[in-house]
Amino acid sequence: MGNDRFYEKISERISQSDEYLNLRNTLKELTQEIEGTIYVIENPLYSLNGQQSEDSSGSFSILIPKTNIIFTHLSNVNEDDFDDYVGNYIDSITTLSEMFEFKKKVGNSRRWNHLITDDLEISQITKQVISDYCVEGDDNDTLKILVSLITGSINTPDKGGPVENLLDAVKKRIVQFDGDQTRFVYDNLKKKRISIQGLAGTGKTELLFHRLVNLYTQTKSNIAFTCYSKVLANDIAKRIPVFFDRMKISERSDIDERVKVMSSWGSLYNPNSGFYRYICAKYKIDFINLNDSGYMGFDGVCRLAVDQIKKLQQLGDFEPCFGYVLVDEAQDFPDSFFELCQLVASEQVILASDIFQEIFKRKSKTIQKPDFTLNKVYRTDPRNFMFSQFLGFGIKDKPIIKWLEDDAWKTSGYTIKKDEEGKNQFYSFSREPLNRFSDINSDTVVPTKLFLKKDNDSIVSLVKQIIADIKIKFPNVEPGDIGIVFLSKQNIGYELANMVSTMIITEFGWRTQKIYESKDRTRRQKRVFISNQNNVKGLEFSFLIGIVLDKITDDVNVRNTVYMMMTRSFLTSYLILGSSNSQIYQEYSPLLEEILTTGTAKIKKPSSEEVINEEDLKNMVESSLTFEQKVEKVLNELGLLNSVNLKQAKNLVAVLNGDTTATVNEIQEIIETNRKHFE
């Protein structure tokens, strides 16, 4: 794990020279004084043909936020060679600009040549000299585009340019990798298994896509991309071609053969329906359906597959079928699955996880010891993230749901100050403020708002007022900028969603998309997105309105979903609590006010007796699923969830099982057996 504010990719000749080591110290010091990442690289990181450029034999570039691009070289480098190096580098930028359609915004090199500094000797580069090359205004907008192209943080051509308000800033924001993100994408860590762990909003799936592109263009290996959920796998399968288009990968005639996107398990009748099913078919080993797995579960069937493949290895009758395996949402898996992945991958297994997305489950030791940690949340305001996580952890509850050790808090991006007050120890938590929208004052936008409403009518009225206020403050807001998520295990949630949808159509003339009623789970940008708790992962909105009707204190799954839901917003998350959550409102309103006004939260460190133990936590998780929620969970994982199927499946399971006490596995078996009725 490296410094997320500093990245270097240079030859050993440069990195080991005394000249550079002195400069490196200067640049490292500078990272503490600026916002953003300093890059020291020899060539643009992204190669259109998939081939890495040869090193410059002593010349390199320095990229510093709001500063001219600096080219320099070791003292023993020939000046003509250096001039050729700079010229070739600028030609590469020009090519990248044309390929990714930014030329209309930045023009040719003549228009941004003044942003290039190539006359500084390496010994002349000091913090004072660097400050003399400060870039502001329109030039800084151009610079951000150039740096994003050079560092491989490829954006779409609608990004960048002048903005008048924060909503414009959200839509036009140039996203740039930090040091750790860049290392994950472009550095080759010599390990069979690589784990990247990031908080919600750190861009883990996007980084996996970048790795996928690099592996596809730079190797001839077959690549598997897998995750637990079928719905998510389907979404990823749709997004990958779009991402390849964005990265200008025009030659991909063999992509269907080389890249397999699958959910984790699969079904007996389709060998390509899941990663585990594919492996069983490939090596002719035993496949066990979910409904036949019994007490073993996915962990057990993976361990069985591992044992059978190891026997094939001993017999000398085995060749890995993939070069690389990429696993998204790795926190959903046991270690036995990763071992299976490692056996069938000749080169590398790459895992991406949010250790806090499944707050109350810890299936894997692997993902708890990541090679890369992404703790800077760029999507949502740090104060919103802090409040959402503390609510998820039940930090004000008795007992507390989750408390971390000091190192884990720090790894998660928190700064901790401790104070002793009598026999009690208090922690003051804060997160580094991030200037996500440079040159635009974001202080006028409150990142989190909390409400308590007693019934559906008052909730609908509040949602109406929230949207009206957004429209006044941001006249250019579009329906797709707003997401509405409701958390309810009962039909009252769907009734509320219908009421909200009707209100939006009537009052604002906007169309809505109730995603849980749609067979095609593709988000439509011209509609207000309305969802239940089963469709939270992967969403991003300028404004998120979350409505929690279920009692949070009784349901740890609701807590987990609240955390995921609230961290989906770029600007503001509105959390509306139903009447059953008056206690939560009373306990957490002061905490939110403290976080919003001071940027900190002062919390008394709990004793071990004041934190819920693992066994009780497990019981809480299992008991919190209602019959309807179990049916929803199964339908969602099978990619069959909509309101019609939900009603039909509940009736079918109740009839065939005799009552509504069926387990998740029993429900799965019934629906799989009668699948044709739901498709």
Side-chain angles (χ1 to χ4, degrees):
M1 196 185 311
N3 183 346
D4 61 9
R5 297 186 182 209
F6 187 80
Y7 177 85
E8 61 185 355
K9 196 177 183 76
I10 50 180
S11 66
E12 189 172 320
R13 175 187 174 187
I14 299 173
S15 66
Q16 298 302 311
S17 70
D18 291 338
E19 292 176 295
Y20 175 71
L21 291 174
N22 290 331
L23 173 61
R24 188 178 193 269
N25 290 333
T26 298
L27 297 175
K28 282 290 196 72
E29 290 176 7
L30 187 60
T31 61
Q32 306 303 313
E33 304 173 14
I34 63 169
E35 292 185 358
T37 301
I38 294 177
Y39 288 82
V40 182
I41 56 179
E42 293 187 64
N43 297 284
L45 296 179
Y46 182 70
S47 176
L48 294 170
N49 60 11
Q51 301 299 315
Q52 296 296 316
S53 303
E54 296 181 0
D55 68 58
S56 62
S57 300
S59 301
F60 58 97
S61 64
I62 306 171
L63 314 177
I64 303 172
K66 296 186 176 181
T67 304
N68 271 17
I69 298 171
I70 298 172
F71 292 103
T72 191
H73 58 86
L74 301 180
S75 57
N76 58 359
V77 172
N78 180 278
E79 286 295 334
D80 289 338
D81 291 341
F82 176 66
D83 290 342
D84 290 342
Y85 161 77
V86 174
N88 291 334
Y89 198 118
I90 292 174
D91 287 345
S92 296
I93 299 174
T94 302
T95 301
L96 290 166
S97 173
E98 292 174 348
M99 286 292 295
F100 291 105
E101 302 174 38
F102 276 101
K103 192 173 181 180
K104 289 183 179 179
K105 287 187 174 177
V106 302
N108 57 40
S109 60
R110 290 192 299 274
R111 285 180 52 186
W112 43 265
N113 191 57
H114 62 290
L115 301 177
I116 301 295
T117 297
D118 59 1
D119 58 354
L120 290 176
E121 300 289 339
I122 192 170
S123 60
Q124 297 175 314
I125 305 174
T126 64
K127 287 195 287 185
Q128 179 57 53
V129 169
I130 290 171
S131 68
D132 294 338
Y133 293 91
C134 179
V135 174
E136 297 178 344
D138 292 343
D139 278 345
N140 190 42
D141 293 335
T142 299
L143 180 70
K144 285 190 288 187
I145 292 173
L146 298 178
V147 171
S148 72
L149 293 170
I150 295 168
T151 59
S153 308
I154 307 299
N155 292 264
T156 55
D158 61 327
K159 302 292 186 179
V163 297
E164 296 181 358
N165 54 55
L166 273 174
L167 190 56
D168 282 341
V170 168
K171 296 179 178 182
K172 295 186 178 184
R173 181 167 66 112
I174 293 290
V175 178
Q176 294 180 349
F177 293 152
D178 63 28
D180 282 334
Q181 290 172 322
T182 308
R183 270 180 280 275
F184 175 74
V185 173
Y186 291 107
D187 289 3
N188 185 20
L189 193 63
K190 302 294 185 181
K191 290 180 64 177
K192 185 65 179 288
R193 186 189 298 180
I194 296 175
S195 174
I196 180 172
Q197 182 189 106
L199 304 174
T202 52
K204 298 178 296 297
T205 301
E206 183 89 353
L207 295 178
L208 281 182
F209 285 173
H210 278 279
R211 281 300 294 262
L212 175 63
V213 166
N214 291 348
L215 294 173
Y216 179 78
T217 58
Q218 297 173 21
T219 75
K220 298 297 182 183
S221 297
N222 292 334
I223 307 162
F225 198 126
T226 187
C227 57
Y228 195 83
S229 163
K230 290 184 179 181
V231 173
L232 182 58
N234 291 337
D235 181 65
I236 288 171
K238 291 178 181 178
R239 290 169 60 187
I240 284 176
V242 176
F243 191 83
F244 271 58
D245 287 341
R246 172 180 151 191
M247 301 300 290
K248 307 302 178 183
I249 310 300
S250 56
E251 179 48 53
R252 51 183 195 247
S253 57
D254 61 349
I255 191 169
D256 291 336
E257 178 184 348
R258 287 181 55 201
V259 180
K260 305 291 185 186
V261 182
M262 299 171 282
S263 62
S264 57
W265 203 312
S267 61
L268 176 64
Y269 304 105
N270 183 359
N272 296 310
S273 58
F275 182 83
Y276 163 66
R277 178 68 182 95
Y278 181 91
I279 297 304
C280 291
K282 178 71 176 179
Y283 299 109
K284 298 180 174 57
I285 61 176
D286 296 333
F287 171 74
I288 302 174
N289 271 316
L290 173 62
N291 55 306
D292 296 325
S293 64
Y295 71 91
M296 292 195 305
F298 195 52
D299 184 25
V301 302
C302 287
R303 281 190 278 110
L304 181 61
V306 166
D307 290 340
Q308 291 180 301
I309 288 177
K310 285 182 176 179
K311 289 179 181 178
L312 293 177
Q313 286 180 320
Q314 292 171 359
L315 295 171
D317 188 24
F318 177 83
E319 289 289 336
C321 56
F322 295 106
Y324 298 86
V325 178
L326 280 62
V327 183
D328 200 11
E329 304 293 348
Q331 73 277 352
D332 295 339
F333 293 101
D335 282 325
S336 57
F337 179 72
F338 305 143
E339 187 176 0
L340 178 62
C341 293
Q342 194 163 322
L343 286 173
V344 301
S346 61
E347 303 299 325
Q348 208 164 57
V349 176
I350 302 170
L351 314 175
S353 67
D354 180 347
I355 199 66
F356 297 130
Q357 200 165 102
E358 289 293 331
I359 300 172
F360 314 104
K361 298 179 186 178
R362 293 293 180 269
K363 296 180 180 179
S364 170
K365 295 179 181 179
T366 297
I367 62 172
Q368 295 183 57
K369 299 178 181 179
D371 301 291
F372 300 89
T373 300
L374 309 178
N375 57 29
K376 282 190 169 55
V377 180
Y378 296 98
R379 177 171 55 217
T380 198
D381 189 287
R383 294 168 295 173
N384 178 55
F385 182 89
M386 189 188 309
F387 174 76
S388 303
Q389 190 173 51
F390 285 178
L391 177 56
F393 279 15
I395 217 77
K396 286 289 188 178
D397 289 48
K398 295 179 180 179
I400 290 175
I401 304 295
K402 192 70 181 177
W403 182 268
L404 304 179
E405 298 296 329
D406 290 2
D407 287 346
W409 283 121
K410 293 173 183 177
T411 301
S412 303
Y414 287 96
T415 299
I416 303 171
K417 293 183 179 179
K418 302 179 185 180
D419 293 305
E420 302 286 344
E421 296 184 12
K423 295 181 179 180
N424 297 321
Q425 187 176 51
F426 285 84
Y427 280 45
S428 289
F429 293 97
S430 62
R431 298 186 68 85
E432 179 184 350
L434 298 175
N435 185 12
R436 298 175 298 141
F437 313 111
S438 60
D439 304 325
I440 295 290
N441 181 15
S442 61
D443 294 340
T444 58
V445 174
V446 180
T448 316
K449 295 188 178 183
L450 183 63
F451 308 88
L452 179 68
K453 295 296 175 180
K454 63 180 181 178
D455 54 41
N456 276 5
D457 287 337
S458 56
I459 291 173
V460 173
S461 178
L462 176 58
V463 173
K464 175 184 172 181
Q465 186 60 54
I466 289 172
I467 295 175
D469 290 344
I470 292 172
K471 284 177 63 68
I472 291 172
K473 195 164 188 175
F474 302 96
N476 60 333
V477 68
E478 297 178 347
D481 295 326
I482 299 173
I484 301 173
V485 180
F486 65 92
L487 277 64
S488 174
K489 299 171 188 171
Q490 309 301 324
N491 287 331
I492 189 174
Y494 296 100
E495 294 170 4
L496 175 63
N498 289 333
M499 293 169 65
V500 169
S501 177
T502 301
M503 178 274 294
I504 291 173
I505 295 169
T506 303
E507 296 293 332
F508 302 104
W510 284 350
R511 301 178 73 182
T512 65
Q513 179 187 19
K514 291 180 281 188
I515 194 69
Y516 51 86
E517 293 184 350
S518 175
K519 289 185 177 180
D520 180 9
R521 298 302 182 86
T522 303
R523 177 180 167 188
R524 301 181 184 179
Q525 295 296 329
K526 300 298 183 181
R527 300 187 181 189
V528 177
F529 184 96
I530 301 177
S531 176
N532 58 5
Q533 61 263 32
N534 294 311
N535 300 280
V536 178
K537 288 185 179 180
L539 303 182
E540 290 184 338
F541 301 96
S542 296
F543 307 96
L544 188 287
I545 303 173
I547 306 168
V548 185
L549 302 178
D550 293 338
K551 193 174 181 180
I552 295 177
T553 52
D554 294 344
D555 196 327
V556 293
N557 289 297
V558 172
R559 288 186 180 275
N560 185 51
T561 306
V562 168
Y563 160 72
M564 288 191 289
M565 173 182 70
M566 291 287 288
T567 54
R568 302 293 109 185
S569 69
F570 287 106
L571 294 179
T572 302
S573 287
Y574 303 84
L575 182 59
I576 305 173
L577 302 176
S579 57
S580 64
N581 287 306
S582 58
Q583 179 183 346
I584 288 289
Y585 181 80
Q586 296 298 326
E587 290 175 345
Y588 285 86
S589 290
L591 175 65
L592 176 59
E593 183 63 25
E594 179 185 8
I595 291 172
L596 292 177
T597 55
T598 69
T600 63
K602 187 176 181 180
I603 309 292
K604 183 177 81 72
K605 183 182 180 182
S607 64
S608 57
E609 292 78 17
E610 293 174 315
V611 181
I612 191 168
N613 64 58
E614 292 295 327
E615 186 62 30
D616 288 344
L617 189 58
K618 180 182 177 183
N619 293 334
M620 287 178 66
V621 172
E622 293 178 351
S623 66
S624 66
L625 291 176
T626 66
F627 172 67
E628 180 169 349
Q629 194 173 29
K630 294 174 186 176
V631 177
E632 278 194 66
K633 174 181 173 66
V634 171
L635 288 172
N636 193 54
E637 291 180 351
L638 295 174
L640 299 172
L641 183 60
N642 58 58
S643 58
V644 175
N645 282 352
L646 178 60
K647 183 178 180 179
Q648 183 178 335
K650 286 194 300 181
N651 292 335
L652 180 65
V653 173
V655 170
L656 295 181
N657 195 67
D659 56 28
T660 57
T661 61
T663 66
V664 170
N665 283 351
E666 290 169 340
I667 294 171
Q668 177 88 19
E669 181 177 359
I670 291 171
I671 293 176
E672 285 271 22
T673 303
N674 298 275
R675 188 180 182 113
K676 63 182 180 181
H677 298 295
F678 300 98
E679 294 181 327

